[in-house]
Amino acid sequence: MNFVTELQTAVTKGASDIFIVAGRPLVCKINGQMTNVDNTPLKPSDTADFVRQIYELAGQRDMEHLEKSGDDDFSFALPGVSRFRVSAYRQRNSLAAVVRVIAFELPDPTALHLPATVLSLAECTKGLILVTGAAGSGKSTTLSCIIDRINSSKADHIITLEDPLEYLHRHKTSIVSQREINTDTESYVTALRAALRQSPDVILLGEMRDYETITTAMTAAETGHLIFSSLHTIGAANTIDRILDVFEPSQQHQIAVQLAMVLQAVVSQQLLPSVDGELVPAFEIMIVNPAIRNMIRENKIHQIDTVIYSSAEEEMISMDTSILNLYKSGLISERTALTFASNPELLAKKLKL
C-alpha cells in the first residue's frame, strides 16, 4: 500500500491524527472521533512497511534510533499536502506510529476561537508565560498563534526550541530561528543555554520537562527575556504545584519566590466537542497580579482558583465560566458542559438559571 495516498486522504478528510497499529485497520481521528479507513486489520508486515515509507518521506532520517530505543519522534513535510509530526514506536514486537497532521499555513486565531486576551500576551516584553492542557488540547497551536503575532508586530529575535518542529514560521518583522531537538541540537537544556548567547528577545520552549529545563527557563525569564512554554497540566494552581513539586522540599520556598517574580500568565485549555461535531476550545486564563504573586510566594496556591473564579478583571476567566459561555453561545450541549467542567455541581446550578 502507498502511504502517501493515505496521508492525502486523511488531510482531505480533516483528520488530526493517523494511527498505524497491528491488529487494527488504519485509523484516522476526525473531530475527536476514531474512524477506520477500511475494514482490513493491519498485519505487523503492513505496519512495518508503512513506518519504512514514512522514514523514506522524511528524507535524511534513518530507522537506527527507533530500532535501538523502540521510540522515535520527528517531523516531515509532503509538498502540496501538509506537514506531519510522527511518533514511531515498537509494540508487541511490531512497529507502530501515530502521525499528527499539521497545516502548512499558520491557523487563523479567529477561526480557532482564541480569546483576544490570549493573543495580547504577545505584547509582554519579559517573564514566563505558560500554556497548559492535556496532550492534543491545542497548546502548540495556541503558542504558534502568539509567536506569529509577535513575528508580525515586533522587530525581535525569536528562538523556538521544539521536539519536533511543528508550524514553520517565516521571517516577518522579526527574525525567527527554529531549532529541532535531536536534529539541530542535542537537548532542550543545551539549546536553551545556547539560546541565551544568541541575543534572543523571545524564546519558545516546547515543553518544560524536568528540573534542569524549568530552572534554566526561570533564570532566562529572570534575566529579562520573554519565555513561552507548555506543561501537561490543567488549571493554573495545578501548574504552579507541578513546577514546585519538581524541586526538593528545601528548595521550594526559594523557587516559589522566583516563580512569583517571573510568572506573567497561565493559560489552560481543553478541546470540547461542539453541537455540530467539531471541536471548540475552552480556556482558563490567569493573569498574574500582585494578589496572585503573594499567594505563590506565601504558598497559598489553593486560593488561586477562588481568585480566578471571582475575578472582576475582564482578562481573567475560570475554565467553568468559559464552558458556561460556550453553552450560552449554543456551541456545546449541556451534557458536554457538565462532562468537562471542573465543578459540575456548581455549573449545573448556573445552567438552570
Side-chain angles (χ1 to χ4, degrees):
M1 289 186 281
N2 185 351
F3 196 62
V4 171
T5 305
E6 303 296 349
L7 291 173
Q8 290 169 329
T9 303
V11 170
T12 303
K13 290 181 176 178
S16 62
D17 297 275
I18 306 158
F19 296 83
I20 306 165
V21 183
R24 280 288 303 265
L26 199 65
V27 173
C28 288
K29 184 185 277 189
I30 302 171
N31 292 327
Q33 301 297 314
M34 297 291 199
T35 306
N36 290 347
V37 171
D38 55 35
N39 296 318
T40 308
L42 297 172
K43 300 172 186 173
S45 57
D46 297 326
T47 63
D49 181 47
F50 278 155
V51 171
R52 287 192 192 94
Q53 288 187 52
I54 290 170
Y55 273 84
E56 287 170 11
L57 292 170
Q60 299 299 314
R61 198 169 190 92
D62 62 46
M63 296 178 65
E64 184 180 351
H65 183 74
L66 174 62
E67 288 162 354
K68 279 185 178 178
S69 69
D71 295 279
D72 197 12
D73 296 299
F74 57 96
S75 60
F76 71 95
L78 201 57
V81 181
S82 192
R83 280 182 58 75
F84 302 93
R85 186 180 79 192
V86 182
S87 179
Y89 57 100
R90 187 178 294 282
Q91 67 94 38
R92 296 187 184 180
N93 207 29
S94 64
L95 294 180
V98 179
V99 182
R100 169 67 53 88
V101 180
I102 304 162
F104 277 126
E105 294 299 318
L106 285 164
D108 175 10
T110 306
L112 294 174
H113 305 283
L114 278 188
T117 304
V118 173
L119 290 172
S120 71
L121 295 173
E123 295 164 19
C124 293
T125 56
K126 62 181 180 180
L128 177 65
I129 295 171
L130 300 173
V131 176
T132 76
S137 60
K139 300 184 295 295
S140 298
T141 304
T142 296
L143 285 166
S144 290
C145 288
I146 298 170
I147 292 297
D148 187 56
R149 177 66 66 93
I150 298 171
N151 188 16
S152 302
S153 61
K154 296 182 183 178
D156 282 347
H157 182 203
I158 303 167
I159 299 176
T160 77
L161 312 174
E162 302 170 74
D163 183 20
L165 287 183
E166 294 196 24
Y167 295 101
L168 300 183
H169 294 272
R170 298 184 181 91
H171 305 297
K172 295 181 180 177
T173 309
S174 294
I175 295 170
V176 187
S177 301
Q178 291 189 266
R179 307 192 71 197
E180 184 170 77
I181 309 304
N182 296 323
T183 301
D184 300 317
T185 181
E186 65 178 26
S187 70
Y188 273 124
V189 174
T190 302
L192 185 53
R193 287 175 179 159
L196 297 176
R197 300 189 295 272
Q198 292 156 4
S199 189
D201 298 290
V202 179
I203 299 172
L204 169 64
L205 181 64
E207 189 181 337
M208 297 219 300
R209 290 183 171 175
D210 51 33
Y211 168 88
E212 275 193 296
T213 315
I214 292 171
T215 304
T216 311
M218 289 209 295
T219 303
E222 208 171 25
T223 53
H225 301 92
L226 179 58
I227 311 292
F228 290 94
S229 193
S230 71
L231 279 157
H232 291 291
T233 50
I234 297 175
N238 287 337
T239 299
I240 293 164
D241 279 335
R242 174 71 63 84
I243 291 171
L244 295 178
D245 284 347
V246 168
F247 296 87
E248 294 293 330
S250 60
Q251 294 179 287
Q252 288 180 0
H253 176 68
Q254 176 194 339
I255 297 303
V257 171
Q258 191 179 6
L259 187 60
M261 189 165 59
V262 301
L263 190 63
Q264 299 292 344
V266 178
V267 176
S268 294
Q269 60 186 82
Q270 299 185 81
L271 288 178
L272 282 60
S274 68
V275 291
D276 57 7
E278 297 187 352
L279 294 169
V280 292
F283 293 90
E284 177 192 278
I285 304 171
M286 181 190 77
I287 306 299
V288 181
N289 57 24
I292 290 174
R293 290 193 198 283
N294 282 333
M295 287 173 190
I296 298 172
R297 198 178 295 116
E298 295 168 12
N299 197 26
K300 295 178 180 177
I301 314 298
H302 60 281
Q303 295 180 9
I304 288 175
D305 285 337
T306 306
V307 172
I308 297 170
Y309 199 83
S310 58
S311 176
E313 297 176 34
E314 284 185 20
E315 66 267 22
M316 200 103 78
I317 187 170
S318 71
M319 180 61 75
D320 285 4
T321 302
S322 178
I323 290 172
L324 180 62
N325 291 341
L326 290 175
Y327 172 74
K328 286 179 176 177
S329 302
L331 289 171
I332 62 171
S333 67
E334 180 177 340
R335 181 177 178 182
T336 298
L338 295 174
T339 299
F340 286 86
S342 306
N343 189 331
E345 294 81 9
L346 185 58
L347 185 61
K349 292 176 184 175
K350 293 194 171 188
L351 291 176
K352 289 177 172 60
L353 292 178

